[in-house]
Amino acid sequence: MQSIVMTTAVAPRSLGERIQRRRRRLGFLQSELARAIGCGPGAISRFERGRRVPREVLPRLAAALQVDVRDLLADAAAIEPSREECELLQAYRALPDSGQAEIRSLMAALAAGRVAR
């Protein structure tokens, strides 16, 4: 089974700069923001210096900073896919072209709300 390597064209630093700018605008200390999102005291410092922000932390971080996750990320593709996402992508790639087309069609229908959930 081949491994999946995800790369990013945008340096993660821009996400860190957005976090820092918003945190300061709201008047939070790094330790206060870390406590608000349930992370250790050094986590915010690491995020602001450009370390990867774990996918599961992003919603809590955005909520604490009072922004939408999409606004926080803007151009920063600094998110590593989860194990489940990697497994789904591997399974998708293993399908024949017709199977991939069916998956794309189903996803488009789900996104448009045409499939009962």
Side-chain angles (χ1 to χ4, degrees), residues 20-30 32 65:
Q20 183 180 64
R21 191 175 322 124
R22 185 67 182 160
R23 175 184 61 79
R24 287 180 175 171
R25 188 169 293 144
L26 293 172
F28 283 122
L29 297 174
Q30 287 180 338
E32 292 170 327
L65 293 173

Side-chain angles (χ1 to χ4, degrees), residues 29-43:
L29 297 174
Q30 287 180 338
S31 59
E32 292 170 327
L33 181 56
R35 194 171 26 258
I37 66 170
C39 287

Side-chain angles (χ1 to χ4, degrees), residues 41-86:
I44 302 304
S45 175
R46 289 190 300 275
F47 300 159
E48 289 180 357
R49 288 192 322 254
R51 298 287 302 271
R52 185 184 67 82
V53 178
R55 180 178 200 83
E56 63 275 5
V57 171
L58 276 171
R60 295 191 314 259
L61 185 59
L65 293 173
Q66 301 169 16
V67 296
D68 188 87
V69 172
R70 292 173 298 211
D71 295 331
L72 188 59
L73 293 175
D75 296 317
I79 305 202
E80 186 174 303
S82 69
R83 176 180 291 164
E84 181 181 29
E85 290 169 323
C86 288

Side-chain angles (χ1 to χ4, degrees), residues 81-102:
S82 69
R83 176 180 291 164
E84 181 181 29
E85 290 169 323
C86 288
E87 290 170 357
L88 287 169
L89 182 56
Q90 287 174 336
Y92 172 81
R93 288 179 174 171
L95 292 171
D97 290 342
S98 60
Q100 289 181 6
E102 286 184 45

